[in-house]
Amino acid sequence: ESQGETYLNPTAADGKIFINGGTYGGIYAFDAVTGQRAWFKSLLQFHNWTPAYHNKVAYAFAGGTLSAHSVLSGQVQWQKDLPFDFFEYGMNTAPVIDTANHLIFATSRNYLHAVHYDSHATVWSQSGNLGVTPALSDGTLYLVRNGKLEARNALTGMLSWTFNGDTELSYPPAVAGDYLFVSSDSHLFAVRRDNGAQ
């Protein structure tokens, strides 16, 4: 049930599968065993995103609206409008949950926002050419910004280090042990997490 949308991988949690979809945009929950639809909630008509899950709540960032949904019913528990940008109505990102700091990171083409998921306040923001899902590990957020990899304190947003690579990095970073893997269209880099060295 969509109008030619593209998708990120669905999120499996709490016995359900969550994914974006719908003729005019929204979030689906399916039973993970039977595949039966549990609920659908209409949202803004943007594609190429997937929900995040934490503590019986599914989080969606579609268009400029960050929304929190009950995993039992899909009912909106809260929502917040944020500055955002997009390309061809595609978000190309998924929210990232930081349970230690009670933050949710919502990224669009040119913005990243750290929002406290209890108070709903914006804790910090970054602008620039972002547009891919960041990675989070041990209190550090790793994000691709303006073609480079940045390590920032997840709570404050303070920059720890920058890795330039070929200055055309454009895919989500992945954490594996003491290393990060990040790529452009032509190169794959392994980077130390502690200091950003290749």
Side-chain angles (χ1 to χ4, degrees), residues 108-182:
S108 66
R109 188 181 185 192
N110 288 321
Y111 297 94
L112 181 144
H113 306 282
V115 176
H116 197 283
Y117 58 66
D118 294 326
S119 69
H120 316 153
T122 300
V123 177
W124 60 271
S125 295
Q126 277 292 316
S127 60
N129 184 5
L130 290 137
V132 296
T133 305
L136 175 71
S137 183
D138 298 328
T140 300
L141 190 72
Y142 303 97
L143 55 122
V144 173
R145 179 172 175 266
N146 298 330
K148 303 172 185 178
L149 178 66
E150 295 182 349
R152 292 183 176 271
N153 181 286
L155 181 59
T156 66
M158 183 177 295
L159 182 66
S160 299
W161 52 256
T162 301
F163 171 72
N164 291 335
D166 58 5
T167 68
E168 295 181 358
L169 304 177
S170 56
Y171 293 92
V175 176
D178 294 332
Y179 299 94
L180 284 154
F181 296 92
V182 65

Side-chain angles (χ1 to χ4, degrees), residues 6-62:
T6 56
Y7 304 89
L8 299 185
N9 292 335
T11 298
D14 202 19
K16 292 184 174 64
I17 304 293
F18 303 97
I19 193 168
N20 83 284
T23 304
Y24 297 103
I27 178 175
Y28 278 106
F30 297 95
D31 186 282
V33 176
T34 67
Q36 182 177 358
R37 186 171 85 176
W39 50 261
F40 170 77
K41 180 64 178 176
S42 180
L43 298 173
L44 294 172
Q45 191 174 1
F46 288 81
H47 69 111
N48 206 22
W49 59 271
T50 204
Y53 169 89
H54 173 62
N55 196 24
K56 305 293 183 181
V57 179
Y59 294 93
F61 187 47

Side-chain angles (χ1 to χ4, degrees), residues 171-192:
Y171 293 92
V175 176
D178 294 332
Y179 299 94
L180 284 154
F181 296 92
V182 65
S183 67
S184 64
D185 284 337
S186 56
H187 295 88
L188 171 66
F189 298 94
V191 182
R192 289 181 58 96

